[in-house]
Amino acid sequence: MQMADCTPQTGAEYGDDPSRKFPMPRFRLRFRPRLLDELRTYDATRFGRDLGAGITVAVVALPLAMAFAIASGATPQAGIMTAIVAGLLISLLGGSRVQIGGPAGAFIVIIYGIIEKYGLDNLLVATLFAGVMLLAMGALKLGSVIRYMPVAIVVGFTNGIAVLIALSQLKDFFGLDIGRMPGDFFGQVGMLARHAGSVDPATLALGLASLAVVFLWPRLFASRHAGRFQGHAWFRLLRALPGSIIVLVAATAATVFMQLDVDTIGSRFGGIPQALPAPAVPAFSLALLRELFAPALTIALLGAIESLLCAKVADNLIGDRHDPNQELMAQGIANMVVPFFGGLPATGTIARTVINIRSGASSPVAGIIHAATLLVIMLAAAPLARHVPLAALAAILLYVAYNMFEWHSLPRMMRLTLPYRVLLLATFVLTVAIDLTVAVEVGLVLACVFFIYRISSLTTIEPVQPQFLPSSLPPGVEAYAIFGSLFFGAVGKLEALLAPDRPPPRVLILELHKLINLDVTCLEALEQIHGTLMRHHGRLILCGANHQPRAMMERSGFLDRLGRENCVRDLHAALALVKAEALAA
């Protein structure tokens, strides 16, 4: 009696012929900046919108660039040069229409630790290496893969970085008599505790006033009492100014006119040069190249995650879709160039990108204008920066850390599953207490473990119920239906079919039409089940195998070892095969 095999009727549609040869895909590098597409329909109206948005973003970026650089252990000039050079290249070459690039708060902890351990010159080398990695990621089209990072890990390390940023600013905010803060969390806490008695009243007062202004400024214009002034030009002008600029100007003026004895950019760094630095190759130690691989990888991964998350936020706001691979290549080129100007690692920045969008930006030209405006400000107003008090910049960064912390994740965390909570808390604690790299590595391992557990729990192997059988099973015949995915995490369920405490059945039927995937580990388990049954003069029959499991068994040769007559279309055919064998016997 000839039985139908388990080949699906639609198998030809999927190229199931094992003799068919599939051509290897060709690697093609696609490099097309979004700016080229936008310039096709560019006009004077769009330029006017981009001009206003670019200038607005530059005003916001100036204090943040200086604050991020100082908090990272570098000079304020390094932050400004990063915003100018990287901001220009990311807008020129990127795959997003409105993304603004530059120094980011997320890098503060990473940069500070690298400078503390390896020195500034080796940070520049690590940044260059990170740029090469980012360029390679984009060229190899890994942009979509980077976005697979679990949300819990992103929220965990973002919250951890926010805590570390806030902690690092307490020294300048309180005016503590500390020469240089340690790079680790416990060292910082211990240092702050030992010098808690050296608070400077003038610095603290200036810091508190600056924090109050930067926190309350946007809320003043959103209050119900502000509605009566909506029609006034001065009201619209003040509302357009960011709180960070108001704090920067007011705190600097107070320091100068009241002659406050507080730390300023001039007293600590000697001011900002009123000229562009000449490009120079950073000095580095060849002996440290191997050790710099891990910091460079950290910078590259964090930069990729930050930039693509930022671009995704921008897409949601403007109803667009960015090219993640082009964006990564632009980020890579920017990070390869900026070290030659003494700059820091750069990435896409969510706050400045959102401001760019809300200011009316329509194309990457706004980002180019933002970089050019920063250059003009640096060349024209550099002497004024020496009077900027560090307490005001610390207040701005405390506000940035407050906004960076995902407060909404705390109540949501209690409502979501235990694996999500464990993943978020583990990433958060490891980011704060140990290192961001360790936090992401452990977080990814935990995410994989939880995923494996979840998928394996969805895989079931149960006896076929009598109502689904065409006829009752003969003695010594067992039939099981498999649902889900047979992979290494579920191999134990497959091995349990032949328990050592009972004799194996004469015939074991596995119904596979709800099996979506079969991996090599479970294929080996099927081989062992087949071998065990053969040694006891038994038989394994498979029925209803879908395309992927059947193709896996075909390629491995398992179907030939099993016997193709033992791979049938459905339970009817399997039971008919059993009855035919019984009659023949």
Side-chain angles (χ1 to χ4, degrees):
M1 180 176 180
Q2 185 176 2
M3 295 295 174
D5 64 16
C6 60
T7 304
Q9 294 179 354
T10 58
E13 301 175 10
Y14 300 97
D16 291 339
D17 184 358
S19 64
R20 180 178 176 181
K21 295 182 179 180
F22 295 92
M24 293 295 292
R26 293 181 179 179
F27 172 76
R28 292 181 179 179
L29 176 64
R30 183 182 185 274
F31 188 90
R32 185 173 181 81
R34 183 63 180 270
L35 180 64
L36 297 179
D37 297 326
E38 295 301 318
L39 290 179
R40 291 180 177 179
T41 58
Y42 206 69
D43 54 26
T45 302
R46 294 183 67 185
F47 177 75
R49 293 169 56 191
D50 288 339
L51 179 64
I55 295 174
T56 302
V57 175
V59 172
V60 175
L62 179 64
L64 292 178
M66 292 191 296
F68 289 155
I70 293 172
S72 301
T75 63
Q77 182 191 8
I80 297 176
M81 289 308 303
T82 304
I84 294 173
V85 176
L88 174 65
L89 292 174
I90 289 171
S91 295
L92 272 175
L93 306 175
S96 173
R97 183 150 60 94
V98 292
Q99 176 147 272
I100 300 295
F107 279 125
I108 290 176
V109 180
I110 304 298
I111 297 173
Y112 192 92
I114 295 175
I115 293 177
E116 186 79 11
K117 186 174 182 179
Y118 300 104
L120 179 60
D121 288 336
N122 284 300
L123 166 69
L124 301 180
V125 176
T127 303
L128 194 152
F129 283 178
V132 174
M133 294 179 187
L134 284 166
L135 181 61
M137 289 179 191
L140 295 174
K141 297 179 172 54
L142 298 180
S144 300
V145 177
I146 297 295
R147 294 192 293 183
Y148 293 159
M149 182 74 68
V151 174
I153 294 179
V154 175
V155 173
F157 76 66
T158 300
N159 288 350
I161 290 172
V163 170
L164 292 174
I165 290 174
L167 187 67
S168 69
Q169 296 310 298
L170 296 182
K171 166 183 172 291
D172 289 332
F173 187 80
F174 288 97
L176 301 178
D177 185 18
I178 299 175
R180 184 173 178 84
M181 290 284 286
D184 63 294
F185 171 75
F186 296 106
Q188 289 181 355
V189 171
M191 184 70 74
L192 291 171
R194 288 193 296 272
H195 292 82
S198 62
V199 176
D200 180 62
T203 301
L204 177 59
L206 185 61
L208 288 173
S210 300
L211 185 60
V213 171
V214 75
F215 187 82
L216 296 176
W217 184 258
R219 290 161 177 79
L220 290 176
F221 299 96
S223 65
R224 58 183 181 180
H225 300 293
R228 69 185 73 174
F229 305 110
Q230 293 285 348
H232 296 276
W234 61 267
F235 180 86
R236 292 194 297 270
L237 176 62
L238 290 176
R239 184 175 58 183
L241 290 175
S244 57
I245 285 296
I246 300 299
V247 166
L248 195 69
V249 173
T252 303
T255 302
V256 173
F257 293 112
M258 299 177 64
Q259 297 183 347
L260 297 178
D261 185 18
V262 297
D263 284 341
T264 64
I265 289 179
S267 66
R268 183 173 297 180
F269 302 101
I272 297 175
Q274 199 173 1
L276 281 174
V281 178
F284 64 95
S285 169
L286 290 173
L288 287 176
L289 283 180
R290 181 179 297 179
E291 295 184 40
L292 290 176
F293 177 79
L297 182 61
T298 301
I299 293 172
L301 290 177
L302 183 57
I305 294 168
E306 283 284 311
S307 63
L308 295 183
L309 285 176
C310 178
K312 190 174 182 179
V313 169
D315 287 349
N316 294 336
L317 290 176
I318 64 176
D320 194 35
R321 187 172 182 179
H322 71 283
D323 182 345
N325 299 312
Q326 181 65 41
E327 190 62 35
L328 287 183
M329 287 189 284
Q331 302 283 342
I333 294 172
N335 281 283
M336 290 168 63
V337 173
V338 77
F340 293 99
F341 294 89
L344 305 174
T347 185
T349 57
I350 295 178
R352 276 159 276 174
T353 298
V354 171
I355 291 172
N356 189 41
I357 294 171
R358 291 177 178 172
S359 300
S362 68
S363 76
V365 174
I368 297 172
I369 293 173
H370 136 268
T373 304
L374 281 173
L375 176 61
V376 172
I377 293 174
M378 188 188 79
L379 296 178
L384 300 177
R386 66 179 296 109
H387 302 294
V388 174
L390 298 182
L393 295 179
I396 292 172
L397 282 184
L398 286 174
Y399 182 66
V400 169
Y402 172 81
N403 287 329
M404 192 176 180
F405 196 91
E406 301 272 355
W407 297 100
H408 65 274
S409 66
L410 300 180
R412 186 179 67 176
M413 182 178 66
M414 303 310 298
R415 297 193 300 268
L416 294 178
T417 60
L418 179 62
Y420 178 91
R421 284 178 281 175
V422 171
L423 196 56
L424 191 153
L425 288 175
T427 309
F428 171 76
V429 171
L430 290 174
T431 299
V432 172
I434 301 179
D435 179 69
L436 176 63
T437 307
V438 175
V440 172
E441 291 172 351
V442 173
L444 287 174
V445 171
L446 287 176
C448 292
V449 171
F450 289 142
F451 175 78
I452 292 170
Y453 173 77
R454 177 61 176 163
I455 296 301
S456 64
S457 67
L458 295 176
T459 301
T460 60
I461 302 178
E462 299 178 347
V464 178
Q465 299 301 314
Q467 62 266 30
F468 298 114
L469 291 170
S471 60
S472 60
L473 293 175
V477 178
E478 297 179 4
Y480 293 89
I482 302 178
F483 174 87
S485 174
L486 282 180
F487 70 115
F488 62 91
V491 67
K493 297 182 179 182
L494 190 60
E495 293 173 340
L497 290 175
L498 297 183
D501 56 348
R502 67 183 183 89
R506 180 172 57 86
V507 177
L508 177 63
I509 301 174
L510 297 182
E511 207 284 318
L512 307 178
H513 87 276
K514 291 184 178 181
L515 177 67
I516 60 175
N517 177 70
L518 174 68
D519 76 350
V520 175
T521 302
C522 285
L523 182 62
E524 289 292 329
L526 284 177
E527 293 263 19
Q528 293 176 6
I529 290 174
H530 170 59
T532 301
L533 291 173
M534 288 286 291
R535 286 193 298 273
H536 290 80
H537 307 289
R539 187 176 189 179
L540 174 63
I541 300 177
L542 307 178
C543 59
N546 290 309
H547 170 67
Q548 191 279 335
R550 188 187 60 79
M552 174 68 78
M553 292 184 286
E554 181 80 51
R555 289 193 302 269
S556 67
F558 174 68
L559 284 186
D560 293 325
R561 292 188 292 275
L562 176 68
R564 292 181 178 272
E565 69 278 5
N566 291 317
C567 184
V568 298
R569 185 173 297 278
D570 51 32
L571 280 171
H572 289 79
L575 290 177
L577 185 62
V578 172
K579 292 179 180 178
E581 180 185 14
L583 290 174

